[in-house]
Amino acid sequence: MEVLFNCNLSKLIMGGGTLKSFTCKCVFLFVAVLILRALLLLPSPGFGGVEWRNLVHIKNNYSPSFGFGVRQGKFLEVPQIVWGLNNQKIAFARACLTARMLNRTLLMPSLSASLFYKEIDLLQPISFDKVFQFDKFNALCSGFVQLGRYSDLLNQTQVIEMKKGSGRKWTIERDLDQLRQHNNGSFDDHEVIRIIGKNPFLWHDHWPVKDYAKVFECLVLVDEIAQEADRVVARIREVRGNNENMELEKPIPYVAVHMRVEIDWMIHCKKLEQRMNIYQICSSKKEIMERVRNIVGLKTPVVAYLAVADKLLQNSSILEGWGEGFLPYEKKKLGVDEIYSKYPYLIQSAIDYEVCLRADIFVGNSFSTFSSLTVLERTQKMIRMGVNSMCGSDVRWPSYAYNIPGESNGPMRWVTNMSDSSLQAISYGTNHISC
């Protein structure tokens, strides 16, 4: 500092001084280089087109209390992700956001191909990049979260383990404090932080819905699975009912109904109703059909694609009783069961998710994670298309919850509240939906 003052740096910069010594010349040159470097690193408004605008959006609107930026030389490792497809997507997003808070790259986790979550030896691990596109994810989420491979590790330091707490004494505040402690000091010197304990779906939630939504937007199915979903949707669009020989101007619209009537769900929802003292969770087949038929403004004929876990059904009567104008189809009747049967549970669920996501109308259960994430992505789609009144009577891609009565005894209109401070409602269900 003394050298700087002796050289009258302020006068030099303003052009009122002279460089009289070799030392002053060096100091001035050093400062000039620093200023030039800072100017060169300023972001250009035109850089990257849409991608740059997305980065600005992320920087201004996502988790401002946490650090921005993702280091590629520091990593977070998480346990194998388990349970159903959409619970796994939530767990994956939670792991990504945890890594983001720690300013680390998430090591590509292992998903679970099977639905078994209690029998560890039956989990059938499947690599993330066998389901979702690795490079596409990093490109879409660049600057927000980042995935790395184990081959990226240099193994220069010993792995440090961070055990996630459990039980009633482990609060959201304690979980957050633990993450903050591991974000600095000696903890941050380690190349890899390995989280051990309960699976990521059961970690405490510290992030708003819009942060999760950003991660979900970066999940793109690998081509093989996406093409299978294309085949199923194309088969649905080909349905003509009793007018198969007629040339229609456009395909019959289809309603995708996430029909939760399987035996495992009915047991679960009855217990949930008793525990929460809410009687708008379970719905019988008869109630679901009645609600769908009473959707205000629904024009027939219409295809009703029934997304259901066929193997868990007690009977096969879900195609009966829909009434005139409705053309109900499930996998077997549609002739696509051979597409599903060659894949494990996780892939089957991913295909059905895409079919529901692309439907003209979606009807699901607000206490189902599958339904909730479908509605979240459909809400995001409407936001991107500039829809202002998403609960209006003439909205494209509307969604409904059949477990909650709406207008004319039809299902309740449903959009995701993107300003929610946590994913609690989507993770565990709610009967308070935005419309």
Side-chain angles (χ1 to χ4, degrees):
M1 291 296 293
E2 185 178 352
V3 174
L4 290 177
F5 284 118
N6 289 339
C7 288
N8 294 317
L9 186 60
S10 59
K11 292 183 178 180
L12 291 171
I13 294 174
M14 297 302 292
T18 60
L19 295 173
K20 295 181 179 180
S21 71
F22 178 78
T23 303
C24 288
K25 290 179 181 179
C26 290
V27 170
F28 181 78
L29 181 62
F30 175 74
V31 173
V33 169
L34 288 180
I35 294 173
L36 180 61
R37 182 176 182 271
L39 290 173
L40 289 174
L41 289 177
L42 284 174
S44 169
F47 175 74
V50 175
E51 288 75 19
W52 169 246
R53 289 196 295 273
N54 285 342
L55 285 176
V56 173
H57 178 67
I58 291 169
K59 199 169 184 178
N60 290 338
N61 295 302
Y62 288 95
S63 299
S65 60
F66 300 147
F68 176 79
V70 182
R71 289 176 296 177
Q72 296 184 358
K74 300 287 185 177
F75 301 90
L76 180 72
E77 181 181 3
V78 299
Q80 179 180 348
I81 297 175
V82 300
W83 292 18
L85 167 69
N86 291 286
N87 287 336
Q88 290 189 52
K89 287 167 66 175
I90 289 174
F92 171 77
R94 194 158 290 169
C96 283
L97 295 172
T98 301
R100 170 178 162 81
M101 180 184 174
L102 297 174
N103 193 13
R104 288 174 173 263
T105 295
L106 177 67
L107 286 171
M108 185 175 66
S110 175
L111 305 178
S112 299
S114 62
L115 188 55
F116 296 96
Y117 56 90
K118 293 182 180 179
E119 298 84 356
I120 302 299
D121 57 329
L122 297 177
L123 283 176
Q124 297 178 25
I126 182 172
S127 177
F128 171 90
D129 59 2
K130 297 298 182 183
V131 183
F132 301 104
Q133 296 185 38
F134 179 91
D135 292 332
K136 189 74 171 179
F137 179 87
N138 278 341
L140 293 173
C141 267
S142 176
F144 185 62
V145 296
Q146 189 82 13
L147 277 181
R149 298 184 185 274
Y150 281 84
S151 58
D152 298 332
L153 296 178
L154 298 177
N155 296 317
Q156 292 181 331
T157 59
Q158 184 180 1
V159 173
I160 185 171
E161 293 185 341
M162 176 170 63
K163 185 175 182 179
K164 301 296 288 184
S166 62
R168 295 181 180 178
K169 292 184 178 181
W170 190 257
T171 62
I172 293 178
E173 290 74 19
R174 287 189 175 186
D175 187 81
L176 190 57
D177 285 342
Q178 182 194 48
L179 294 178
R180 285 172 174 157
Q181 289 171 11
H182 283 74
N183 199 23
N184 50 51
S186 61
F187 294 111
D188 198 50
D189 294 336
H190 293 267
E191 182 184 17
V192 178
I193 293 179
R194 176 184 296 144
I195 293 184
I196 59 175
K198 289 189 174 182
N199 71 77
F201 178 65
L202 296 180
W203 294 353
H204 285 293
D205 182 15
H206 307 296
W207 299 279
V209 169
K210 60 186 178 182
D211 280 20
Y212 282 96
K214 173 60 184 174
V215 177
F216 296 147
E217 282 188 306
C218 301
L219 291 172
V220 179
L221 291 174
V222 296
D223 291 341
E224 179 186 352
I225 302 174
Q227 288 166 7
E228 298 288 30
D230 291 341
R231 290 175 60 191
V232 177
V233 172
R235 197 73 64 88
I236 295 173
R237 296 293 188 189
E238 292 170 0
V239 172
R240 293 292 184 269
N242 296 325
N243 300 313
E244 293 184 359
N245 296 322
M246 292 180 60
E247 288 293 333
L248 301 180
E249 293 183 5
K250 58 182 179 179
I252 297 174
Y254 79 93
V255 179
V257 184
H258 184 216
M259 205 164 183
R260 297 293 342 235
V261 292
E262 307 93 340
I263 181 61
D264 66 323
W265 169 260
M266 297 308 292
I267 293 172
H268 166 73
C269 73
K270 290 294 184 184
K271 292 180 179 179
L272 198 61
E273 284 186 337
Q274 293 174 2
R275 185 168 70 249
M276 299 182 67
N277 196 28
I278 296 175
Y279 296 97
Q280 291 180 338
I281 302 177
C282 301
S283 295
S284 65
K285 184 196 79 169
K286 180 179 179 182
E287 182 179 72
I288 294 172
M289 289 192 301
E290 182 179 353
R291 294 268 165 84
V292 173
R293 286 199 303 261
N294 289 331
I295 292 176
V296 175
L298 180 62
K299 298 178 180 179
T300 56
V302 65
V303 177
Y305 175 75
L306 311 180
V308 62
D310 309 70
K311 294 181 179 179
L312 297 176
L313 285 175
Q314 286 183 301
N315 58 67
S316 58
S317 64
I318 60 169
L319 296 176
E320 301 171 3
W322 282 87
E324 186 178 356
F326 282 84
L327 308 173
Y329 281 80
E330 37 77 66
K331 300 175 184 66
K332 188 173 181 180
K333 183 179 177 182
L334 195 61
V336 296
D337 49 338
E338 80 284 353
I339 294 177
Y340 288 84
S341 61
K342 62 184 179 182
Y343 292 108
Y345 156 78
L346 188 73
I347 309 303
Q348 294 182 22
S349 187
I351 295 172
D352 248 5
Y353 184 85
E354 280 295 307
V355 174
C356 291
L357 195 62
R358 303 181 198 180
D360 299 290
I361 298 172
F362 174 72
V363 190
N365 188 300
S366 65
F367 282 83
S368 161
T369 308
F370 182 106
S371 293
S372 294
L373 287 195
T374 302
V375 173
L376 183 149
E377 288 207 46
R378 289 171 68 89
T379 300
Q380 279 286 83
K381 186 175 181 178
M382 288 193 286
I383 292 173
R384 289 195 300 269
M385 296 298 292
V387 177
N388 294 320
S389 179
M390 290 184 285
C391 293
S393 58
D394 188 22
V395 174
R396 194 175 180 185
W397 307 301
S399 301
Y400 299 84
Y402 57 66
N403 58 303
I404 305 174
E407 185 179 354
S408 301
N409 199 34
M412 179 67 75
R413 283 292 300 275
W414 184 8
V415 297
T416 300
N417 181 4
M418 302 303 293
S419 63
D420 250 337
S421 60
S422 80
L423 205 68
Q424 175 75 20
I426 293 172
S427 301
Y428 299 99
T430 179
N431 60 350
H432 298 291
I433 54 182
S434 298
C435 285

